[in-house]
Amino acid sequence: TNVTRVLGKKVGALTLVVGGIGVSNIMHVVVEERTKEIGLKMALGAKRRFVVGQILFETLALTAIGGVLGLGIAWTVCASFPAAAIEYVGTPVISAQVAAITTGVLGLIGFLAGFFPARTAASLNPVEALRL
């Protein structure tokens, strides 16, 4: 029904936001743990865009792995519920349009979750980073 669809969309949106917050926190920890490494790279001549690119690549890779795992779980649920003859759930399906939109939103959230820690990492003073 309509109530179920609206509730499902809200739960899905909140799941993406919470996932983005989790990825952002992970990347902040990565930057803190690798401050000396980043400082050394910058002291040896690494450009800011290299540092930003590295952190963004790691963030997007982490987000892509999570997205693929989530799609796999959704596919498993959609395949197993009709086979188990659970009638009150209905017949779940994966819509190509919704999957494409979700992939785009997930990519955007992943980019934003990694951009701010990457910018922080790229703005480190190499000398101060090596002292920490």
Side-chain angles (χ1 to χ4, degrees), residues 58-107:
E58 291 175 17
T59 304
L60 292 175
L62 185 65
T63 304
I65 291 168
V68 168
L69 288 173
L71 183 61
I73 291 169
W75 181 82
T76 302
V77 167
C78 288
S80 62
F81 272 34
I86 302 173
E87 293 180 20
Y88 67 90
V89 174
T91 306
V93 294
I94 296 177
S95 164
Q97 181 182 13
V98 171
I101 291 170
T102 303
T103 300
V105 170
L106 185 63

Side-chain angles (χ1 to χ4, degrees), residues 9-68:
K9 288 178 183 178
K10 288 182 180 181
V11 168
L14 287 174
T15 301
L16 287 173
V17 169
V18 169
I21 292 169
V23 171
S24 182
N25 285 337
I26 289 169
M27 296 318 295
H28 275 291
V29 170
V30 165
V31 168
E32 284 181 22
E33 292 290 323
R34 293 171 49 191
T35 298
K36 283 188 178 186
E37 175 190 336
I38 293 167
L40 182 62
K41 286 180 182 182
M42 293 182 75
L44 293 174
K47 306 272 187 211
R48 287 177 52 108
R49 69 173 187 256
F50 174 78
V51 174
V52 169
Q54 178 185 359
I55 302 295
L56 279 177
F57 176 78
E58 291 175 17
T59 304
L60 292 175
L62 185 65
T63 304
I65 291 168
V68 168

